[in-house]
Amino acid sequence: STQAKTLFPYTTLFRSSRASQLLPFLPFGSTTLWSWSRSGRFPSPVKLSSTITCWKNEEVHAWMKRQGLSQQAANDTQGAA
């Protein structure tokens, strides 16, 4: 059966995404992601192990909605940079 497409289709079952999975959907890069996460401007990541850090998809979706971002808007912004 076909699953409904979501903003992060490959990680929906896990309900979290790593930085490399989020960045294509965000209008900024890795440095800003980590900086904003530390400052509280972006959702805080969750440390799953000593080498794996991820963000809860639900929190990222809510943040994007508050920012007025959609998948297309994020892609358009990155393409223009």
Side-chain angles (χ1 to χ4, degrees):
S1 77
T2 305
Q3 282 187 331
K5 290 187 179 183
T6 63
L7 192 57
F8 309 118
Y10 301 109
T11 57
T12 302
L13 294 175
F14 302 108
R15 299 186 183 149
S16 63
S17 297
R18 296 183 72 177
S20 63
Q21 296 167 312
L22 291 177
L23 289 169
F25 299 97
L26 300 174
F28 48 78
S30 178
T31 301
T32 300
L33 173 64
W34 289 102
S35 175
W36 285 13
S37 294
R38 279 191 300 277
S39 72
R41 193 168 173 185
F42 191 78
S44 296
V46 176
K47 192 99 168 144
L48 296 181
S49 73
S50 63
T51 59
I52 298 176
T53 302
C54 64
W55 283 259
K56 294 178 182 176
N57 287 348
E58 183 177 339
E59 292 176 3
V60 174
H61 282 258
W63 180 89
M64 291 179 78
K65 188 173 182 180
R66 287 192 306 274
Q67 304 306 307
L69 293 174
S70 66
Q71 179 178 350
Q72 185 61 45
N75 289 340
D76 289 348
T77 303
Q78 280 204 337

mmCIF file with all atom_site columns, all heavy atoms in Angstrom, residues 49-64:
data_model
loop_
_atom_site.group_PDB
_atom_site.id
_atom_site.type_symbol
_atom_site.label_atom_id
_atom_site.label_alt_id
_atom_site.label_comp_id
_atom_site.label_asym_id
_atom_site.label_entity_id
_atom_site.label_seq_id
_atom_site.pdbx_PDB_ins_code
_atom_site.Cartn_x
_atom_site.Cartn_y
_atom_site.Cartn_z
_atom_site.occupancy
_atom_site.B_iso_or_equiv
_atom_site.pdbx_formal_charge
_atom_site.auth_seq_id
_atom_site.auth_comp_id
_atom_site.auth_asym_id
_atom_site.auth_atom_id
_atom_site.pdbx_PDB_model_num
ATOM 1   N N   . SER A 1 49 ? 22.278 8.554  20.814 1.00 0.00 ? 49 SER A N   1
ATOM 2   C CA  . SER A 1 49 ? 23.467 7.820  21.233 1.00 0.00 ? 49 SER A CA  1
ATOM 3   C C   . SER A 1 49 ? 24.627 8.806  21.187 1.00 0.00 ? 49 SER A C   1
ATOM 4   O O   . SER A 1 49 ? 24.439 9.976  20.890 1.00 0.00 ? 49 SER A O   1
ATOM 5   C CB  . SER A 1 49 ? 23.735 6.633  20.301 1.00 0.00 ? 49 SER A CB  1
ATOM 6   O OG  . SER A 1 49 ? 24.230 7.088  19.053 1.00 0.00 ? 49 SER A OG  1
ATOM 7   N N   . SER A 1 50 ? 25.815 8.326  21.446 1.00 0.00 ? 50 SER A N   1
ATOM 8   C CA  . SER A 1 50 ? 26.972 9.225  21.433 1.00 0.00 ? 50 SER A CA  1
ATOM 9   C C   . SER A 1 50 ? 27.256 9.777  20.037 1.00 0.00 ? 50 SER A C   1
ATOM 10  O O   . SER A 1 50 ? 27.909 10.809 19.903 1.00 0.00 ? 50 SER A O   1
ATOM 11  C CB  . SER A 1 50 ? 28.204 8.507  21.983 1.00 0.00 ? 50 SER A CB  1
ATOM 12  O OG  . SER A 1 50 ? 28.530 7.413  21.147 1.00 0.00 ? 50 SER A OG  1
ATOM 13  N N   . THR A 1 51 ? 26.746 9.134  19.008 1.00 0.00 ? 51 THR A N   1
ATOM 14  C CA  . THR A 1 51 ? 27.016 9.579  17.640 1.00 0.00 ? 51 THR A CA  1
ATOM 15  C C   . THR A 1 51 ? 25.772 9.935  16.833 1.00 0.00 ? 51 THR A C   1
ATOM 16  O O   . THR A 1 51 ? 25.893 10.339 15.681 1.00 0.00 ? 51 THR A O   1
ATOM 17  C CB  . THR A 1 51 ? 27.787 8.485  16.859 1.00 0.00 ? 51 THR A CB  1
ATOM 18  O OG1 . THR A 1 51 ? 26.999 7.299  16.842 1.00 0.00 ? 51 THR A OG1 1
ATOM 19  C CG2 . THR A 1 51 ? 29.137 8.207  17.497 1.00 0.00 ? 51 THR A CG2 1
ATOM 20  N N   . ILE A 1 52 ? 24.594 9.793  17.423 1.00 0.00 ? 52 ILE A N   1
ATOM 21  C CA  . ILE A 1 52 ? 23.360 10.069 16.687 1.00 0.00 ? 52 ILE A CA  1
ATOM 22  C C   . ILE A 1 52 ? 22.519 11.104 17.420 1.00 0.00 ? 52 ILE A C   1
ATOM 23  O O   . ILE A 1 52 ? 22.106 10.898 18.560 1.00 0.00 ? 52 ILE A O   1
ATOM 24  C CB  . ILE A 1 52 ? 22.529 8.788  16.471 1.00 0.00 ? 52 ILE A CB  1
ATOM 25  C CG1 . ILE A 1 52 ? 23.322 7.781  15.639 1.00 0.00 ? 52 ILE A CG1 1
ATOM 26  C CG2 . ILE A 1 52 ? 21.198 9.121  15.789 1.00 0.00 ? 52 ILE A CG2 1
ATOM 27  C CD1 . ILE A 1 52 ? 22.640 6.454  15.449 1.00 0.00 ? 52 ILE A CD1 1
ATOM 28  N N   . THR A 1 53 ? 22.290 12.214 16.726 1.00 0.00 ? 53 THR A N   1
ATOM 29  C CA  . THR A 1 53 ? 21.441 13.291 17.229 1.00 0.00 ? 53 THR A CA  1
ATOM 30  C C   . THR A 1 53 ? 20.338 13.511 16.204 1.00 0.00 ? 53 THR A C   1
ATOM 31  O O   . THR A 1 53 ? 20.584 13.480 15.003 1.00 0.00 ? 53 THR A O   1
ATOM 32  C CB  . THR A 1 53 ? 22.258 14.586 17.402 1.00 0.00 ? 53 THR A CB  1
ATOM 33  O OG1 . THR A 1 53 ? 23.337 14.332 18.305 1.00 0.00 ? 53 THR A OG1 1
ATOM 34  C CG2 . THR A 1 53 ? 21.407 15.704 17.957 1.00 0.00 ? 53 THR A CG2 1
ATOM 35  N N   . CYS A 1 54 ? 19.116 13.721 16.683 1.00 0.00 ? 54 CYS A N   1
ATOM 36  C CA  . CYS A 1 54 ? 18.005 13.927 15.761 1.00 0.00 ? 54 CYS A CA  1
ATOM 37  C C   . CYS A 1 54 ? 17.041 14.971 16.328 1.00 0.00 ? 54 CYS A C   1
ATOM 38  O O   . CYS A 1 54 ? 17.160 15.389 17.474 1.00 0.00 ? 54 CYS A O   1
ATOM 39  C CB  . CYS A 1 54 ? 17.276 12.615 15.495 1.00 0.00 ? 54 CYS A CB  1
ATOM 40  S SG  . CYS A 1 54 ? 16.485 11.937 16.952 1.00 0.00 ? 54 CYS A SG  1
ATOM 41  N N   . TRP A 1 55 ? 16.122 15.376 15.488 1.00 0.00 ? 55 TRP A N   1
ATOM 42  C CA  . TRP A 1 55 ? 15.079 16.311 15.875 1.00 0.00 ? 55 TRP A CA  1
ATOM 43  C C   . TRP A 1 55 ? 13.743 15.611 15.716 1.00 0.00 ? 55 TRP A C   1
ATOM 44  O O   . TRP A 1 55 ? 13.546 14.846 14.766 1.00 0.00 ? 55 TRP A O   1
ATOM 45  C CB  . TRP A 1 55 ? 15.097 17.549 14.969 1.00 0.00 ? 55 TRP A CB  1
ATOM 46  C CG  . TRP A 1 55 ? 16.181 18.511 15.292 1.00 0.00 ? 55 TRP A CG  1
ATOM 47  C CD1 . TRP A 1 55 ? 16.051 19.674 16.003 1.00 0.00 ? 55 TRP A CD1 1
ATOM 48  C CD2 . TRP A 1 55 ? 17.563 18.423 14.941 1.00 0.00 ? 55 TRP A CD2 1
ATOM 49  N NE1 . TRP A 1 55 ? 17.268 20.294 16.099 1.00 0.00 ? 55 TRP A NE1 1
ATOM 50  C CE2 . TRP A 1 55 ? 18.214 19.550 15.457 1.00 0.00 ? 55 TRP A CE2 1
ATOM 51  C CE3 . TRP A 1 55 ? 18.327 17.490 14.237 1.00 0.00 ? 55 TRP A CE3 1
ATOM 52  C CZ2 . TRP A 1 55 ? 19.577 19.773 15.293 1.00 0.00 ? 55 TRP A CZ2 1
ATOM 53  C CZ3 . TRP A 1 55 ? 19.679 17.702 14.088 1.00 0.00 ? 55 TRP A CZ3 1
ATOM 54  C CH2 . TRP A 1 55 ? 20.284 18.841 14.606 1.00 0.00 ? 55 TRP A CH2 1
ATOM 55  N N   . LYS A 1 56 ? 12.816 15.887 16.623 1.00 0.00 ? 56 LYS A N   1
ATOM 56  C CA  . LYS A 1 56 ? 11.478 15.295 16.527 1.00 0.00 ? 56 LYS A CA  1
ATOM 57  C C   . LYS A 1 56 ? 10.740 15.955 15.370 1.00 0.00 ? 56 LYS A C   1
ATOM 58  O O   . LYS A 1 56 ? 10.607 17.180 15.316 1.00 0.00 ? 56 LYS A O   1
ATOM 59  C CB  . LYS A 1 56 ? 10.706 15.506 17.827 1.00 0.00 ? 56 LYS A CB  1
ATOM 60  C CG  . LYS A 1 56 ? 11.313 14.762 18.999 1.00 0.00 ? 56 LYS A CG  1
ATOM 61  C CD  . LYS A 1 56 ? 10.536 15.038 20.272 1.00 0.00 ? 56 LYS A CD  1
ATOM 62  C CE  . LYS A 1 56 ? 11.179 14.322 21.443 1.00 0.00 ? 56 LYS A CE  1
ATOM 63  N NZ  . LYS A 1 56 ? 10.504 14.657 22.704 1.00 0.00 ? 56 LYS A NZ  1
ATOM 64  N N   . ASN A 1 57 ? 10.266 15.138 14.434 1.00 0.00 ? 57 ASN A N   1
ATOM 65  C CA  . ASN A 1 57 ? 9.584  15.662 13.254 1.00 0.00 ? 57 ASN A CA  1
ATOM 66  C C   . ASN A 1 57 ? 8.391  16.536 13.625 1.00 0.00 ? 57 ASN A C   1
ATOM 67  O O   . ASN A 1 57 ? 8.161  17.566 13.001 1.00 0.00 ? 57 ASN A O   1
ATOM 68  C CB  . ASN A 1 57 ? 9.136  14.529 12.336 1.00 0.00 ? 57 ASN A CB  1
ATOM 69  C CG  . ASN A 1 57 ? 10.295 13.881 11.606 1.00 0.00 ? 57 ASN A CG  1
ATOM 70  O OD1 . ASN A 1 57 ? 11.407 14.391 11.593 1.00 0.00 ? 57 ASN A OD1 1
ATOM 71  N ND2 . ASN A 1 57 ? 10.037 12.741 11.007 1.00 0.00 ? 57 ASN A ND2 1
ATOM 72  N N   . GLU A 1 58 ? 7.646  16.129 14.625 1.00 0.00 ? 58 GLU A N   1
ATOM 73  C CA  . GLU A 1 58 ? 6.463  16.881 15.037 1.00 0.00 ? 58 GLU A CA  1
ATOM 74  C C   . GLU A 1 58 ? 6.852  18.310 15.444 1.00 0.00 ? 58 GLU A C   1
ATOM 75  O O   . GLU A 1 58 ? 6.180  19.273 15.077 1.00 0.00 ? 58 GLU A O   1
ATOM 76  C CB  . GLU A 1 58 ? 5.779  16.169 16.198 1.00 0.00 ? 58 GLU A CB  1
ATOM 77  C CG  . GLU A 1 58 ? 4.499  16.833 16.656 1.00 0.00 ? 58 GLU A CG  1
ATOM 78  C CD  . GLU A 1 58 ? 3.809  16.043 17.761 1.00 0.00 ? 58 GLU A CD  1
ATOM 79  O OE1 . GLU A 1 58 ? 4.067  14.844 17.896 1.00 0.00 ? 58 GLU A OE1 1
ATOM 80  O OE2 . GLU A 1 58 ? 3.011  16.665 18.477 1.00 0.00 ? 58 GLU A OE2 1
ATOM 81  N N   . GLU A 1 59 ? 7.963  18.446 16.176 1.00 0.00 ? 59 GLU A N   1
ATOM 82  C CA  . GLU A 1 59 ? 8.414  19.772 16.606 1.00 0.00 ? 59 GLU A CA  1
ATOM 83  C C   . GLU A 1 59 ? 8.920  20.598 15.425 1.00 0.00 ? 59 GLU A C   1
ATOM 84  O O   . GLU A 1 59 ? 8.679  21.803 15.356 1.00 0.00 ? 59 GLU A O   1
ATOM 85  C CB  . GLU A 1 59 ? 9.506  19.643 17.664 1.00 0.00 ? 59 GLU A CB  1
ATOM 86  C CG  . GLU A 1 59 ? 9.003  19.072 18.964 1.00 0.00 ? 59 GLU A CG  1
ATOM 87  C CD  . GLU A 1 59 ? 10.105 18.852 19.994 1.00 0.00 ? 59 GLU A CD  1
ATOM 88  O OE1 . GLU A 1 59 ? 11.273 19.193 19.718 1.00 0.00 ? 59 GLU A OE1 1
ATOM 89  O OE2 . GLU A 1 59 ? 9.780  18.340 21.079 1.00 0.00 ? 59 GLU A OE2 1
ATOM 90  N N   . VAL A 1 60 ? 9.607  19.943 14.497 1.00 0.00 ? 60 VAL A N   1
ATOM 91  C CA  . VAL A 1 60 ? 10.104 20.653 13.315 1.00 0.00 ? 60 VAL A CA  1
ATOM 92  C C   . VAL A 1 60 ? 8.941  21.102 12.435 1.00 0.00 ? 60 VAL A C   1
ATOM 93  O O   . VAL A 1 60 ? 8.916  22.240 11.962 1.00 0.00 ? 60 VAL A O   1
ATOM 94  C CB  . VAL A 1 60 ? 11.096 19.779 12.515 1.00 0.00 ? 60 VAL A CB  1
ATOM 95  C CG1 . VAL A 1 60 ? 11.498 20.465 11.219 1.00 0.00 ? 60 VAL A CG1 1
ATOM 96  C CG2 . VAL A 1 60 ? 12.324 19.468 13.367 1.00 0.00 ? 60 VAL A CG2 1
ATOM 97  N N   . HIS A 1 61 ? 7.952  20.240 12.242 1.00 0.00 ? 61 HIS A N   1
ATOM 98  C CA  . HIS A 1 61 ? 6.773  20.607 11.453 1.00 0.00 ? 61 HIS A CA  1
ATOM 99  C C   . HIS A 1 61 ? 6.079  21.814 12.086 1.00 0.00 ? 61 HIS A C   1
ATOM 100 O O   . HIS A 1 61 ? 5.689  22.743 11.378 1.00 0.00 ? 61 HIS A O   1
ATOM 101 C CB  . HIS A 1 61 ? 5.785  19.434 11.373 1.00 0.00 ? 61 HIS A CB  1
ATOM 102 C CG  . HIS A 1 61 ? 6.175  18.380 10.404 1.00 0.00 ? 61 HIS A CG  1
ATOM 103 N ND1 . HIS A 1 61 ? 5.604  18.248 9.158  1.00 0.00 ? 61 HIS A ND1 1
ATOM 104 C CD2 . HIS A 1 61 ? 7.088  17.380 10.494 1.00 0.00 ? 61 HIS A CD2 1
ATOM 105 C CE1 . HIS A 1 61 ? 6.141  17.230 8.533  1.00 0.00 ? 61 HIS A CE1 1
ATOM 106 N NE2 . HIS A 1 61 ? 7.048  16.688 9.324  1.00 0.00 ? 61 HIS A NE2 1
ATOM 107 N N   . ALA A 1 62 ? 5.900  21.789 13.404 1.00 0.00 ? 62 ALA A N   1
ATOM 108 C CA  . ALA A 1 62 ? 5.235  22.893 14.102 1.00 0.00 ? 62 ALA A CA  1
ATOM 109 C C   . ALA A 1 62 ? 6.043  24.181 13.948 1.00 0.00 ? 62 ALA A C   1
ATOM 110 O O   . ALA A 1 62 ? 5.474  25.258 13.713 1.00 0.00 ? 62 ALA A O   1
ATOM 111 C CB  . ALA A 1 62 ? 5.047  22.547 15.581 1.00 0.00 ? 62 ALA A CB  1
ATOM 112 N N   . TRP A 1 63 ? 7.357  24.098 14.059 1.00 0.00 ? 63 TRP A N   1
ATOM 113 C CA  . TRP A 1 63 ? 8.216  25.272 13.895 1.00 0.00 ? 63 TRP A CA  1
ATOM 114 C C   . TRP A 1 63 ? 8.061  25.840 12.486 1.00 0.00 ? 63 TRP A C   1
ATOM 115 O O   . TRP A 1 63 ? 7.911  27.047 12.302 1.00 0.00 ? 63 TRP A O   1
ATOM 116 C CB  . TRP A 1 63 ? 9.678  24.908 14.166 1.00 0.00 ? 63 TRP A CB  1
ATOM 117 C CG  . TRP A 1 63 ? 10.601 26.079 14.015 1.00 0.00 ? 63 TRP A CG  1
ATOM 118 C CD1 . TRP A 1 63 ? 10.945 26.967 14.981 1.00 0.00 ? 63 TRP A CD1 1
ATOM 119 C CD2 . TRP A 1 63 ? 11.283 26.492 12.818 1.00 0.00 ? 63 TRP A CD2 1
ATOM 120 N NE1 . TRP A 1 63 ? 11.807 27.917 14.459 1.00 0.00 ? 63 TRP A NE1 1
ATOM 121 C CE2 . TRP A 1 63 ? 12.020 27.640 13.136 1.00 0.00 ? 63 TRP A CE2 1
ATOM 122 C CE3 . TRP A 1 63 ? 11.333 26.002 11.522 1.00 0.00 ? 63 TRP A CE3 1
ATOM 123 C CZ2 . TRP A 1 63 ? 12.807 28.309 12.202 1.00 0.00 ? 63 TRP A CZ2 1
ATOM 124 C CZ3 . TRP A 1 63 ? 12.111 26.662 10.578 1.00 0.00 ? 63 TRP A CZ3 1
ATOM 125 C CH2 . TRP A 1 63 ? 12.833 27.802 10.932 1.00 0.00 ? 63 TRP A CH2 1
ATOM 126 N N   . MET A 1 64 ? 8.104  24.956 11.478 1.00 0.00 ? 64 MET A N   1
ATOM 127 C CA  . MET A 1 64 ? 7.972  25.404 10.090 1.00 0.00 ? 64 MET A CA  1
ATOM 128 C C   . MET A 1 64 ? 6.617  26.070 9.857  1.00 0.00 ? 64 MET A C   1
ATOM 129 O O   . MET A 1 64 ? 6.535  27.094 9.175  1.00 0.00 ? 64 MET A O   1
ATOM 130 C CB  . MET A 1 64 ? 8.176  24.239 9.129  1.00 0.00 ? 64 MET A CB  1
ATOM 131 C CG  . MET A 1 64 ? 9.609  23.738 9.113  1.00 0.00 ? 64 MET A CG  1
ATOM 132 S SD  . MET A 1 64 ? 9.869  22.351 7.993  1.00 0.00 ? 64 MET A SD  1
ATOM 133 C CE  . MET A 1 64 ? 9.920  23.237 6.434  1.00 0.00 ? 64 MET A CE  1
#
